[in-house]
Amino acid sequence: MTGETNLSRLIAEMNPVLNKGSYVFVSLKNIGKINRNDTLFEFKEKEGVTLVLEKNKADDLQLAYNFVSSWITLKIHSSLEAVGLTATFSSALATEKISCNVVSGYFHDHIFVAEKDANKAIEVLIALSKNKPS
């Protein structure tokens, strides 16, 4: 199954869901002491490895962070080749002054927004899917 590519269908059926918990982004030079079961995802950059994990796990490990976010999953199975989905929802969120950090998994798109903006972001995404102004 390769996922949906039709932008109209992607938007109409994105079904955003707010996951429980608080999440943080950290950057480490050495992740050898980090249990991979504790991370949500990682990305290797020249400056270090960016990890996203639950805030309480980062606190337990005494990891430094400066952004606490909420995690929204778009439940539609989007294709990695789909064009315009990220641009459409990030523009809608930007109109409401909501910053978003996007990660595309194989099946779904995941959006990280500041915790304070989580409920408003869900409202914006639902309104977008119903083709209504937020």
Side-chain angles (χ1 to χ4, degrees):
M1 188 179 234
T2 60
E4 183 61 56
T5 59
N6 179 285
L7 182 58
S8 295
R9 179 170 279 154
L10 284 165
I11 298 299
E13 298 176 17
M14 65 180 158
N15 189 21
V17 173
L18 182 60
N19 297 287
K20 292 181 182 178
S22 299
Y23 298 86
V24 296
F25 289 65
V26 302
S27 180
L28 302 173
K29 293 284 185 190
N30 181 350
I31 63 169
K33 295 181 181 178
I34 303 296
N35 183 337
R36 299 280 299 276
N37 291 327
D38 288 340
T39 63
L40 187 58
F41 73 87
E42 65 185 54
F43 194 88
K44 295 176 187 175
E45 298 180 285
K46 184 172 100 175
E47 300 84 356
V49 179
T50 297
L51 301 173
V52 175
L53 64 163
E54 291 181 58
K55 179 183 175 296
N56 62 346
K57 290 180 182 176
D59 290 341
D60 290 345
L61 294 166
Q62 299 180 339
L63 300 176
Y65 55 85
N66 58 19
F67 176 70
V68 180
S69 62
S70 292
W71 168 26
I72 298 169
T73 298
L74 302 183
K75 297 306 277 188
I76 189 163
H77 178 190
S78 56
S79 169
L80 291 168
E81 296 179 332
V83 176
L85 176 60
T86 302
T88 301
F89 69 69
S90 64
S91 292
L93 292 169
T95 298
E96 297 296 325
K97 307 275 190 268
I98 299 172
S99 170
C100 67
N101 296 280
V102 182
V103 176
S104 294
Y106 186 85
F107 292 100
H108 305 286
D109 290 279
H110 306 275
I111 308 167
F112 293 84
V113 298
E115 254 186 341
K116 67 179 179 58
D117 294 327
N119 291 326
K120 180 63 176 176
I122 288 288
E123 289 174 14
V124 169
L125 295 170
I126 289 171
L128 177 64
S129 72
K130 294 180 179 180
N131 202 19
K132 297 178 184 173
S134 57

mmCIF file with all atom_site columns, all heavy atoms in Angstrom, residues 5-30:
data_model
loop_
_atom_site.group_PDB
_atom_site.id
_atom_site.type_symbol
_atom_site.label_atom_id
_atom_site.label_alt_id
_atom_site.label_comp_id
_atom_site.label_asym_id
_atom_site.label_entity_id
_atom_site.label_seq_id
_atom_site.pdbx_PDB_ins_code
_atom_site.Cartn_x
_atom_site.Cartn_y
_atom_site.Cartn_z
_atom_site.occupancy
_atom_site.B_iso_or_equiv
_atom_site.pdbx_formal_charge
_atom_site.auth_seq_id
_atom_site.auth_comp_id
_atom_site.auth_asym_id
_atom_site.auth_atom_id
_atom_site.pdbx_PDB_model_num
ATOM 1   N N   . THR A 1 5  ? -2.260  10.145 -2.629 1.00 0.00 ? 5  THR A N   1
ATOM 2   C CA  . THR A 1 5  ? -1.548  11.264 -3.259 1.00 0.00 ? 5  THR A CA  1
ATOM 3   C C   . THR A 1 5  ? -2.468  12.415 -3.629 1.00 0.00 ? 5  THR A C   1
ATOM 4   O O   . THR A 1 5  ? -1.996  13.527 -3.867 1.00 0.00 ? 5  THR A O   1
ATOM 5   C CB  . THR A 1 5  ? -0.800  10.811 -4.530 1.00 0.00 ? 5  THR A CB  1
ATOM 6   O OG1 . THR A 1 5  ? -1.735  10.268 -5.454 1.00 0.00 ? 5  THR A OG1 1
ATOM 7   C CG2 . THR A 1 5  ? 0.289   9.795  -4.200 1.00 0.00 ? 5  THR A CG2 1
ATOM 8   N N   . ASN A 1 6  ? -3.778  12.184 -3.674 1.00 0.00 ? 6  ASN A N   1
ATOM 9   C CA  . ASN A 1 6  ? -4.725  13.222 -4.072 1.00 0.00 ? 6  ASN A CA  1
ATOM 10  C C   . ASN A 1 6  ? -4.846  14.250 -2.952 1.00 0.00 ? 6  ASN A C   1
ATOM 11  O O   . ASN A 1 6  ? -5.307  13.934 -1.849 1.00 0.00 ? 6  ASN A O   1
ATOM 12  C CB  . ASN A 1 6  ? -6.088  12.585 -4.380 1.00 0.00 ? 6  ASN A CB  1
ATOM 13  C CG  . ASN A 1 6  ? -7.108  13.619 -4.767 1.00 0.00 ? 6  ASN A CG  1
ATOM 14  O OD1 . ASN A 1 6  ? -7.618  14.346 -3.916 1.00 0.00 ? 6  ASN A OD1 1
ATOM 15  N ND2 . ASN A 1 6  ? -7.430  13.679 -6.049 1.00 0.00 ? 6  ASN A ND2 1
ATOM 16  N N   . LEU A 1 7  ? -4.426  15.491 -3.237 1.00 0.00 ? 7  LEU A N   1
ATOM 17  C CA  . LEU A 1 7  ? -4.384  16.522 -2.210 1.00 0.00 ? 7  LEU A CA  1
ATOM 18  C C   . LEU A 1 7  ? -5.756  16.801 -1.596 1.00 0.00 ? 7  LEU A C   1
ATOM 19  O O   . LEU A 1 7  ? -5.874  16.941 -0.379 1.00 0.00 ? 7  LEU A O   1
ATOM 20  C CB  . LEU A 1 7  ? -3.769  17.815 -2.755 1.00 0.00 ? 7  LEU A CB  1
ATOM 21  C CG  . LEU A 1 7  ? -3.621  18.958 -1.752 1.00 0.00 ? 7  LEU A CG  1
ATOM 22  C CD1 . LEU A 1 7  ? -2.777  18.534 -0.555 1.00 0.00 ? 7  LEU A CD1 1
ATOM 23  C CD2 . LEU A 1 7  ? -3.039  20.185 -2.443 1.00 0.00 ? 7  LEU A CD2 1
ATOM 24  N N   . SER A 1 8  ? -6.790  16.868 -2.416 1.00 0.00 ? 8  SER A N   1
ATOM 25  C CA  . SER A 1 8  ? -8.132  17.134 -1.887 1.00 0.00 ? 8  SER A CA  1
ATOM 26  C C   . SER A 1 8  ? -8.548  16.055 -0.894 1.00 0.00 ? 8  SER A C   1
ATOM 27  O O   . SER A 1 8  ? -9.087  16.347 0.177  1.00 0.00 ? 8  SER A O   1
ATOM 28  C CB  . SER A 1 8  ? -9.155  17.207 -3.017 1.00 0.00 ? 8  SER A CB  1
ATOM 29  O OG  . SER A 1 8  ? -8.870  18.308 -3.845 1.00 0.00 ? 8  SER A OG  1
ATOM 30  N N   . ARG A 1 9  ? -8.284  14.809 -1.240 1.00 0.00 ? 9  ARG A N   1
ATOM 31  C CA  . ARG A 1 9  ? -8.628  13.699 -0.343 1.00 0.00 ? 9  ARG A CA  1
ATOM 32  C C   . ARG A 1 9  ? -7.747  13.722 0.914  1.00 0.00 ? 9  ARG A C   1
ATOM 33  O O   . ARG A 1 9  ? -8.221  13.489 2.023  1.00 0.00 ? 9  ARG A O   1
ATOM 34  C CB  . ARG A 1 9  ? -8.486  12.364 -1.055 1.00 0.00 ? 9  ARG A CB  1
ATOM 35  C CG  . ARG A 1 9  ? -8.807  11.193 -0.120 1.00 0.00 ? 9  ARG A CG  1
ATOM 36  C CD  . ARG A 1 9  ? -8.900  9.883  -0.836 1.00 0.00 ? 9  ARG A CD  1
ATOM 37  N NE  . ARG A 1 9  ? -10.237 9.840  -1.411 1.00 0.00 ? 9  ARG A NE  1
ATOM 38  C CZ  . ARG A 1 9  ? -10.558 9.146  -2.482 1.00 0.00 ? 9  ARG A CZ  1
ATOM 39  N NH1 . ARG A 1 9  ? -9.665  8.417  -3.098 1.00 0.00 ? 9  ARG A NH1 1
ATOM 40  N NH2 . ARG A 1 9  ? -11.778 9.153  -2.948 1.00 0.00 ? 9  ARG A NH2 1
ATOM 41  N N   . LEU A 1 10 ? -6.462  14.016 0.748  1.00 0.00 ? 10 LEU A N   1
ATOM 42  C CA  . LEU A 1 10 ? -5.552  14.092 1.899  1.00 0.00 ? 10 LEU A CA  1
ATOM 43  C C   . LEU A 1 10 ? -6.041  15.117 2.923  1.00 0.00 ? 10 LEU A C   1
ATOM 44  O O   . LEU A 1 10 ? -6.047  14.850 4.124  1.00 0.00 ? 10 LEU A O   1
ATOM 45  C CB  . LEU A 1 10 ? -4.138  14.457 1.432  1.00 0.00 ? 10 LEU A CB  1
ATOM 46  C CG  . LEU A 1 10 ? -3.342  13.349 0.767  1.00 0.00 ? 10 LEU A CG  1
ATOM 47  C CD1 . LEU A 1 10 ? -2.135  13.920 0.037  1.00 0.00 ? 10 LEU A CD1 1
ATOM 48  C CD2 . LEU A 1 10 ? -2.921  12.306 1.782  1.00 0.00 ? 10 LEU A CD2 1
ATOM 49  N N   . ILE A 1 11 ? -6.445  16.280 2.435  1.00 0.00 ? 11 ILE A N   1
ATOM 50  C CA  . ILE A 1 11 ? -6.919  17.336 3.334  1.00 0.00 ? 11 ILE A CA  1
ATOM 51  C C   . ILE A 1 11 ? -8.258  16.955 3.959  1.00 0.00 ? 11 ILE A C   1
ATOM 52  O O   . ILE A 1 11 ? -8.439  17.034 5.174  1.00 0.00 ? 11 ILE A O   1
ATOM 53  C CB  . ILE A 1 11 ? -7.027  18.690 2.588  1.00 0.00 ? 11 ILE A CB  1
ATOM 54  C CG1 . ILE A 1 11 ? -5.651  19.148 2.083  1.00 0.00 ? 11 ILE A CG1 1
ATOM 55  C CG2 . ILE A 1 11 ? -7.673  19.755 3.478  1.00 0.00 ? 11 ILE A CG2 1
ATOM 56  C CD1 . ILE A 1 11 ? -4.614  19.381 3.152  1.00 0.00 ? 11 ILE A CD1 1
ATOM 57  N N   . ALA A 1 12 ? -9.186  16.508 3.143  1.00 0.00 ? 12 ALA A N   1
ATOM 58  C CA  . ALA A 1 12 ? -10.527 16.191 3.643  1.00 0.00 ? 12 ALA A CA  1
ATOM 59  C C   . ALA A 1 12 ? -10.524 15.038 4.645  1.00 0.00 ? 12 ALA A C   1
ATOM 60  O O   . ALA A 1 12 ? -11.326 15.010 5.578  1.00 0.00 ? 12 ALA A O   1
ATOM 61  C CB  . ALA A 1 12 ? -11.453 15.857 2.472  1.00 0.00 ? 12 ALA A CB  1
ATOM 62  N N   . GLU A 1 13 ? -9.597  14.099 4.460  1.00 0.00 ? 13 GLU A N   1
ATOM 63  C CA  . GLU A 1 13 ? -9.593  12.898 5.295  1.00 0.00 ? 13 GLU A CA  1
ATOM 64  C C   . GLU A 1 13 ? -8.381  12.813 6.223  1.00 0.00 ? 13 GLU A C   1
ATOM 65  O O   . GLU A 1 13 ? -8.063  11.736 6.728  1.00 0.00 ? 13 GLU A O   1
ATOM 66  C CB  . GLU A 1 13 ? -9.652  11.662 4.394  1.00 0.00 ? 13 GLU A CB  1
ATOM 67  C CG  . GLU A 1 13 ? -10.920 11.610 3.562  1.00 0.00 ? 13 GLU A CG  1
ATOM 68  C CD  . GLU A 1 13 ? -10.950 10.445 2.581  1.00 0.00 ? 13 GLU A CD  1
ATOM 69  O OE1 . GLU A 1 13 ? -10.152 9.492  2.739  1.00 0.00 ? 13 GLU A OE1 1
ATOM 70  O OE2 . GLU A 1 13 ? -11.788 10.488 1.656  1.00 0.00 ? 13 GLU A OE2 1
ATOM 71  N N   . MET A 1 14 ? -7.737  13.950 6.491  1.00 0.00 ? 14 MET A N   1
ATOM 72  C CA  . MET A 1 14 ? -6.517  13.877 7.305  1.00 0.00 ? 14 MET A CA  1
ATOM 73  C C   . MET A 1 14 ? -6.776  13.456 8.749  1.00 0.00 ? 14 MET A C   1
ATOM 74  O O   . MET A 1 14 ? -5.921  12.849 9.376  1.00 0.00 ? 14 MET A O   1
ATOM 75  C CB  . MET A 1 14 ? -5.728  15.177 7.239  1.00 0.00 ? 14 MET A CB  1
ATOM 76  C CG  . MET A 1 14 ? -6.362  16.389 7.806  1.00 0.00 ? 14 MET A CG  1
ATOM 77  S SD  . MET A 1 14 ? -5.194  17.759 7.582  1.00 0.00 ? 14 MET A SD  1
ATOM 78  C CE  . MET A 1 14 ? -6.306  19.117 7.668  1.00 0.00 ? 14 MET A CE  1
ATOM 79  N N   . ASN A 1 15 ? -7.924  13.730 9.309  1.00 0.00 ? 15 ASN A N   1
ATOM 80  C CA  . ASN A 1 15 ? -8.309  13.283 10.647 1.00 0.00 ? 15 ASN A CA  1
ATOM 81  C C   . ASN A 1 15 ? -7.192  13.490 11.677 1.00 0.00 ? 15 ASN A C   1
ATOM 82  O O   . ASN A 1 15 ? -6.591  12.528 12.164 1.00 0.00 ? 15 ASN A O   1
ATOM 83  C CB  . ASN A 1 15 ? -8.737  11.803 10.604 1.00 0.00 ? 15 ASN A CB  1
ATOM 84  C CG  . ASN A 1 15 ? -9.342  11.343 11.913 1.00 0.00 ? 15 ASN A CG  1
ATOM 85  O OD1 . ASN A 1 15 ? -9.810  12.147 12.713 1.00 0.00 ? 15 ASN A OD1 1
ATOM 86  N ND2 . ASN A 1 15 ? -9.323  10.040 12.141 1.00 0.00 ? 15 ASN A ND2 1
ATOM 87  N N   . PRO A 1 16 ? -6.913  14.739 12.045 1.00 0.00 ? 16 PRO A N   1
ATOM 88  C CA  . PRO A 1 16 ? -5.838  15.003 13.003 1.00 0.00 ? 16 PRO A CA  1
ATOM 89  C C   . PRO A 1 16 ? -6.193  14.504 14.402 1.00 0.00 ? 16 PRO A C   1
ATOM 90  O O   . PRO A 1 16 ? -7.317  14.678 14.878 1.00 0.00 ? 16 PRO A O   1
ATOM 91  C CB  . PRO A 1 16 ? -5.726  16.527 12.983 1.00 0.00 ? 16 PRO A CB  1
ATOM 92  C CG  . PRO A 1 16 ? -7.073  17.007 12.570 1.00 0.00 ? 16 PRO A CG  1
ATOM 93  C CD  . PRO A 1 16 ? -7.610  15.959 11.633 1.00 0.00 ? 16 PRO A CD  1
ATOM 94  N N   . VAL A 1 17 ? -5.233  13.856 15.045 1.00 0.00 ? 17 VAL A N   1
ATOM 95  C CA  . VAL A 1 17 ? -5.424  13.328 16.393 1.00 0.00 ? 17 VAL A CA  1
ATOM 96  C C   . VAL A 1 17 ? -4.298  13.841 17.279 1.00 0.00 ? 17 VAL A C   1
ATOM 97  O O   . VAL A 1 17 ? -3.116  13.715 16.924 1.00 0.00 ? 17 VAL A O   1
ATOM 98  C CB  . VAL A 1 17 ? -5.431  11.789 16.386 1.00 0.00 ? 17 VAL A CB  1
ATOM 99  C CG1 . VAL A 1 17 ? -5.464  11.234 17.796 1.00 0.00 ? 17 VAL A CG1 1
ATOM 100 C CG2 . VAL A 1 17 ? -6.607  11.267 15.575 1.00 0.00 ? 17 VAL A CG2 1
ATOM 101 N N   . LEU A 1 18 ? -4.661  14.398 18.426 1.00 0.00 ? 18 LEU A N   1
ATOM 102 C CA  . LEU A 1 18 ? -3.684  14.870 19.396 1.00 0.00 ? 18 LEU A CA  1
ATOM 103 C C   . LEU A 1 18 ? -3.265  13.689 20.275 1.00 0.00 ? 18 LEU A C   1
ATOM 104 O O   . LEU A 1 18 ? -4.096  13.107 20.978 1.00 0.00 ? 18 LEU A O   1
ATOM 105 C CB  . LEU A 1 18 ? -4.287  15.998 20.238 1.00 0.00 ? 18 LEU A CB  1
ATOM 106 C CG  . LEU A 1 18 ? -3.398  16.645 21.285 1.00 0.00 ? 18 LEU A CG  1
ATOM 107 C CD1 . LEU A 1 18 ? -2.168  17.278 20.652 1.00 0.00 ? 18 LEU A CD1 1
ATOM 108 C CD2 . LEU A 1 18 ? -4.202  17.686 22.063 1.00 0.00 ? 18 LEU A CD2 1
ATOM 109 N N   . ASN A 1 19 ? -2.007  13.323 20.192 1.00 0.00 ? 19 ASN A N   1
ATOM 110 C CA  . ASN A 1 19 ? -1.479  12.235 21.022 1.00 0.00 ? 19 ASN A CA  1
ATOM 111 C C   . ASN A 1 19 ? -1.270  12.726 22.447 1.00 0.00 ? 19 ASN A C   1
ATOM 112 O O   . ASN A 1 19 ? -1.011  13.911 22.672 1.00 0.00 ? 19 ASN A O   1
ATOM 113 C CB  . ASN A 1 19 ? -0.145  11.735 20.444 1.00 0.00 ? 19 ASN A CB  1
ATOM 114 C CG  . ASN A 1 19 ? -0.321  11.145 19.073 1.00 0.00 ? 19 ASN A CG  1
ATOM 115 O OD1 . ASN A 1 19 ? -0.849  10.061 18.916 1.00 0.00 ? 19 ASN A OD1 1
ATOM 116 N ND2 . ASN A 1 19 ? 0.104   11.877 18.049 1.00 0.00 ? 19 ASN A ND2 1
ATOM 117 N N   . LYS A 1 20 ? -1.362  11.833 23.399 1.00 0.00 ? 20 LYS A N   1
ATOM 118 C CA  . LYS A 1 20 ? -1.138  12.190 24.800 1.00 0.00 ? 20 LYS A CA  1
ATOM 119 C C   . LYS A 1 20 ? 0.336   12.450 25.038 1.00 0.00 ? 20 LYS A C   1
ATOM 120 O O   . LYS A 1 20 ? 1.195   11.859 24.399 1.00 0.00 ? 20 LYS A O   1
ATOM 121 C CB  . LYS A 1 20 ? -1.604  11.054 25.714 1.00 0.00 ? 20 LYS A CB  1
ATOM 122 C CG  . LYS A 1 20 ? -3.096  10.855 25.721 1.00 0.00 ? 20 LYS A CG  1
ATOM 123 C CD  . LYS A 1 20 ? -3.495  9.746  26.657 1.00 0.00 ? 20 LYS A CD  1
ATOM 124 C CE  . LYS A 1 20 ? -5.004  9.554  26.602 1.00 0.00 ? 20 LYS A CE  1
ATOM 125 N NZ  . LYS A 1 20 ? -5.445  8.462  27.452 1.00 0.00 ? 20 LYS A NZ  1
ATOM 126 N N   . GLY A 1 21 ? 0.608   13.332 25.967 1.00 0.00 ? 21 GLY A N   1
ATOM 127 C CA  . GLY A 1 21 ? 1.973   13.552 26.405 1.00 0.00 ? 21 GLY A CA  1
ATOM 128 C C   . GLY A 1 21 ? 2.578   14.853 25.933 1.00 0.00 ? 21 GLY A C   1
ATOM 129 O O   . GLY A 1 21 ? 2.009   15.580 25.113 1.00 0.00 ? 21 GLY A O   1
ATOM 130 N N   . SER A 1 22 ? 3.752   15.128 26.487 1.00 0.00 ? 22 SER A N   1
ATOM 131 C CA  . SER A 1 22 ? 4.566   16.290 26.121 1.00 0.00 ? 22 SER A CA  1
ATOM 132 C C   . SER A 1 22 ? 5.864   15.759 25.547 1.00 0.00 ? 22 SER A C   1
ATOM 133 O O   . SER A 1 22 ? 6.443   14.808 26.079 1.00 0.00 ? 22 SER A O   1
ATOM 134 C CB  . SER A 1 22 ? 4.873   17.134 27.366 1.00 0.00 ? 22 SER A CB  1
ATOM 135 O OG  . SER A 1 22 ? 3.686   17.604 27.950 1.00 0.00 ? 22 SER A OG  1
ATOM 136 N N   . TYR A 1 23 ? 6.338   16.406 24.491 1.00 0.00 ? 23 TYR A N   1
ATOM 137 C CA  . TYR A 1 23 ? 7.506   15.913 23.755 1.00 0.00 ? 23 TYR A CA  1
ATOM 138 C C   . TYR A 1 23 ? 8.532   17.017 23.604 1.00 0.00 ? 23 TYR A C   1
ATOM 139 O O   . TYR A 1 23 ? 8.178   18.196 23.506 1.00 0.00 ? 23 TYR A O   1
ATOM 140 C CB  . TYR A 1 23 ? 7.074   15.383 22.383 1.00 0.00 ? 23 TYR A CB  1
ATOM 141 C CG  . TYR A 1 23 ? 6.132   14.219 22.538 1.00 0.00 ? 23 TYR A CG  1
ATOM 142 C CD1 . TYR A 1 23 ? 4.764   14.424 22.699 1.00 0.00 ? 23 TYR A CD1 1
ATOM 143 C CD2 . TYR A 1 23 ? 6.616   12.928 22.597 1.00 0.00 ? 23 TYR A CD2 1
ATOM 144 C CE1 . TYR A 1 23 ? 3.902   13.355 22.902 1.00 0.00 ? 23 TYR A CE1 1
ATOM 145 C CE2 . TYR A 1 23 ? 5.757   11.851 22.797 1.00 0.00 ? 23 TYR A CE2 1
ATOM 146 C CZ  . TYR A 1 23 ? 4.411   12.079 22.949 1.00 0.00 ? 23 TYR A CZ  1
ATOM 147 O OH  . TYR A 1 23 ? 3.558   11.010 23.167 1.00 0.00 ? 23 TYR A OH  1
ATOM 148 N N   . VAL A 1 24 ? 9.812   16.623 23.588 1.00 0.00 ? 24 VAL A N   1
ATOM 149 C CA  . VAL A 1 24 ? 10.892  17.592 23.460 1.00 0.00 ? 24 VAL A CA  1
ATOM 150 C C   . VAL A 1 24 ? 11.881  17.129 22.396 1.00 0.00 ? 24 VAL A C   1
ATOM 151 O O   . VAL A 1 24 ? 12.005  15.932 22.120 1.00 0.00 ? 24 VAL A O   1
ATOM 152 C CB  . VAL A 1 24 ? 11.622  17.827 24.802 1.00 0.00 ? 24 VAL A CB  1
ATOM 153 C CG1 . VAL A 1 24 ? 10.677  18.439 25.825 1.00 0.00 ? 24 VAL A CG1 1
ATOM 154 C CG2 . VAL A 1 24 ? 12.254  16.552 25.334 1.00 0.00 ? 24 VAL A CG2 1
ATOM 155 N N   . PHE A 1 25 ? 12.558  18.106 21.811 1.00 0.00 ? 25 PHE A N   1
ATOM 156 C CA  . PHE A 1 25 ? 13.632  17.873 20.853 1.00 0.00 ? 25 PHE A CA  1
ATOM 157 C C   . PHE A 1 25 ? 14.943  18.126 21.590 1.00 0.00 ? 25 PHE A C   1
ATOM 158 O O   . PHE A 1 25 ? 15.092  19.170 22.236 1.00 0.00 ? 25 PHE A O   1
ATOM 159 C CB  . PHE A 1 25 ? 13.538  18.851 19.678 1.00 0.00 ? 25 PHE A CB  1
ATOM 160 C CG  . PHE A 1 25 ? 12.390  18.600 18.737 1.00 0.00 ? 25 PHE A CG  1
ATOM 161 C CD1 . PHE A 1 25 ? 11.067  18.730 19.147 1.00 0.00 ? 25 PHE A CD1 1
ATOM 162 C CD2 . PHE A 1 25 ? 12.636  18.264 17.414 1.00 0.00 ? 25 PHE A CD2 1
ATOM 163 C CE1 . PHE A 1 25 ? 10.019  18.518 18.278 1.00 0.00 ? 25 PHE A CE1 1
ATOM 164 C CE2 . PHE A 1 25 ? 11.585  18.053 16.527 1.00 0.00 ? 25 PHE A CE2 1
ATOM 165 C CZ  . PHE A 1 25 ? 10.280  18.177 16.960 1.00 0.00 ? 25 PHE A CZ  1
ATOM 166 N N   . VAL A 1 26 ? 15.877  17.205 21.492 1.00 0.00 ? 26 VAL A N   1
ATOM 167 C CA  . VAL A 1 26 ? 17.201  17.389 22.074 1.00 0.00 ? 26 VAL A CA  1
ATOM 168 C C   . VAL A 1 26 ? 18.242  17.062 21.012 1.00 0.00 ? 26 VAL A C   1
ATOM 169 O O   . VAL A 1 26 ? 17.948  16.351 20.045 1.00 0.00 ? 26 VAL A O   1
ATOM 170 C CB  . VAL A 1 26 ? 17.422  16.516 23.332 1.00 0.00 ? 26 VAL A CB  1
ATOM 171 C CG1 . VAL A 1 26 ? 16.378  16.820 24.402 1.00 0.00 ? 26 VAL A CG1 1
ATOM 172 C CG2 . VAL A 1 26 ? 17.419  15.039 23.005 1.00 0.00 ? 26 VAL A CG2 1
ATOM 173 N N   . SER A 1 27 ? 19.435  17.582 21.202 1.00 0.00 ? 27 SER A N   1
ATOM 174 C CA  . SER A 1 27 ? 20.537  17.260 20.294 1.00 0.00 ? 27 SER A CA  1
ATOM 175 C C   . SER A 1 27 ? 21.706  16.760 21.125 1.00 0.00 ? 27 SER A C   1
ATOM 176 O O   . SER A 1 27 ? 22.095  17.393 22.106 1.00 0.00 ? 27 SER A O   1
ATOM 177 C CB  . SER A 1 27 ? 20.950  18.497 19.486 1.00 0.00 ? 27 SER A CB  1
ATOM 178 O OG  . SER A 1 27 ? 22.019  18.156 18.616 1.00 0.00 ? 27 SER A OG  1
ATOM 179 N N   . LEU A 1 28 ? 22.242  15.619 20.728 1.00 0.00 ? 28 LEU A N   1
ATOM 180 C CA  . LEU A 1 28 ? 23.351  14.992 21.451 1.00 0.00 ? 28 LEU A CA  1
ATOM 181 C C   . LEU A 1 28 ? 24.453  14.603 20.473 1.00 0.00 ? 28 LEU A C   1
ATOM 182 O O   . LEU A 1 28 ? 24.167  14.171 19.351 1.00 0.00 ? 28 LEU A O   1
ATOM 183 C CB  . LEU A 1 28 ? 22.878  13.741 22.194 1.00 0.00 ? 28 LEU A CB  1
ATOM 184 C CG  . LEU A 1 28 ? 21.750  13.917 23.204 1.00 0.00 ? 28 LEU A CG  1
ATOM 185 C CD1 . LEU A 1 28 ? 21.288  12.563 23.717 1.00 0.00 ? 28 LEU A CD1 1
ATOM 186 C CD2 . LEU A 1 28 ? 22.199  14.790 24.365 1.00 0.00 ? 28 LEU A CD2 1
ATOM 187 N N   . LYS A 1 29 ? 25.681  14.718 20.905 1.00 0.00 ? 29 LYS A N   1
ATOM 188 C CA  . LYS A 1 29 ? 26.813  14.256 20.097 1.00 0.00 ? 29 LYS A CA  1
ATOM 189 C C   . LYS A 1 29 ? 26.919  12.733 20.174 1.00 0.00 ? 29 LYS A C   1
ATOM 190 O O   . LYS A 1 29 ? 27.266  12.082 19.209 1.00 0.00 ? 29 LYS A O   1
ATOM 191 C CB  . LYS A 1 29 ? 28.120  14.881 20.587 1.00 0.00 ? 29 LYS A CB  1
ATOM 192 C CG  . LYS A 1 29 ? 28.203  16.368 20.365 1.00 0.00 ? 29 LYS A CG  1
ATOM 193 C CD  . LYS A 1 29 ? 28.493  16.686 18.933 1.00 0.00 ? 29 LYS A CD  1
ATOM 194 C CE  . LYS A 1 29 ? 28.684  18.189 18.769 1.00 0.00 ? 29 LYS A CE  1
ATOM 195 N NZ  . LYS A 1 29 ? 28.729  18.582 17.396 1.00 0.00 ? 29 LYS A NZ  1
ATOM 196 N N   . ASN A 1 30 ? 26.621  12.181 21.337 1.00 0.00 ? 30 ASN A N   1
ATOM 197 C CA  . ASN A 1 30 ? 26.746  10.743 21.555 1.00 0.00 ? 30 ASN A CA  1
ATOM 198 C C   . ASN A 1 30 ? 25.428  10.214 22.114 1.00 0.00 ? 30 ASN A C   1
ATOM 199 O O   . ASN A 1 30 ? 25.009  10.636 23.194 1.00 0.00 ? 30 ASN A O   1
ATOM 200 C CB  . ASN A 1 30 ? 27.899  10.466 22.522 1.00 0.00 ? 30 ASN A CB  1
ATOM 201 C CG  . ASN A 1 30 ? 28.109  8.986  22.769 1.00 0.00 ? 30 ASN A CG  1
ATOM 202 O OD1 . ASN A 1 30 ? 27.301  8.151  22.384 1.00 0.00 ? 30 ASN A OD1 1
ATOM 203 N ND2 . ASN A 1 30 ? 29.204  8.667  23.429 1.00 0.00 ? 30 ASN A ND2 1
#
